[in-house]
């Protein structure tokens, strides 16, 4: 199944925004990756509280951003642009925190956060 296809099939979509759909998709993935990373951090022997907090905050923002990005009925351009910018910034912060750790799950999470941030930034100017 594809969120791209689901958005494109919406009755109000005349001009499918591939870049925004990709940002929504990656925000969904990022939310799950951050949640998984936070869970793995709980199991680590060292104090990972800040990383857990960063990951859970990022997961919540990514989820909210994805939910706004897939809605095609009506418009709320300002809110969507603000959410995409916020998501990009929060993903940057999470990637920075995860990059401080040598755990493979943190490295993978940081990589996903950087991808999500880039996709969100790319989508902002495409929203009209």
């Amino acid at each position: 199944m594809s969120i791209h296809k689901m958005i494109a099939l919406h009755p109000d979509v005349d001009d499918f925004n591939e870049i925004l759909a990709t940002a929504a998709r990656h925000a969904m993935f990022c939310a799950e990756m951050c949640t998984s990373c936070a869970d793995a951090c709980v199991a680590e022997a060292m104090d990972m509280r800040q990383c857990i907090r960063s990951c859970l905050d990022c997961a919540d923002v990514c989820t909210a951003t994805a939910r706004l990005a897939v809605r095609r009925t009506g418009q709320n351009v300002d809110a969507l642009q603000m959410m995409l910018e916020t998501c990009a910034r929060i993903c940057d912060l999470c990637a920075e925190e995860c990059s401080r750790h040598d755990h493979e799950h943190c490295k993978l999470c940081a990589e996903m956060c950087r991808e999500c941030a880039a996709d969100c930034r790319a989508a902002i100017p495409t929203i009209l």
Side-chain angles (χ1 to χ4, degrees), residues 28-84:
M28 289 178 204
F29 287 153
C30 193
E32 299 310 316
M33 295 285 282
C34 286
T35 300
S36 181
C37 186
D39 184 60
C41 287
V42 169
E44 295 292 349
M46 62 188 292
D47 181 6
M48 298 291 289
R49 283 182 288 183
Q50 190 56 47
C51 194
I52 294 164
R53 174 60 189 256
S54 293
C55 285
L56 293 177
D57 288 352
C58 190
D60 288 344
V61 170
C62 285
T63 296
T65 301
R67 290 176 60 97
L68 267 70
V70 300
R71 294 180 186 148
R72 300 294 82 203
T73 302
Q75 287 189 359
N76 198 345
V77 172
D78 291 340
L80 182 53
Q81 288 176 331
M82 284 187 272
M83 285 302 295
L84 287 165

Side-chain angles (χ1 to χ4, degrees), residues 4-15:
H4 288 75
K5 186 174 183 177
M6 183 62 134
I7 295 168
L9 292 172
H10 192 286
D12 290 346
V13 172
D14 295 324
D15 187 24

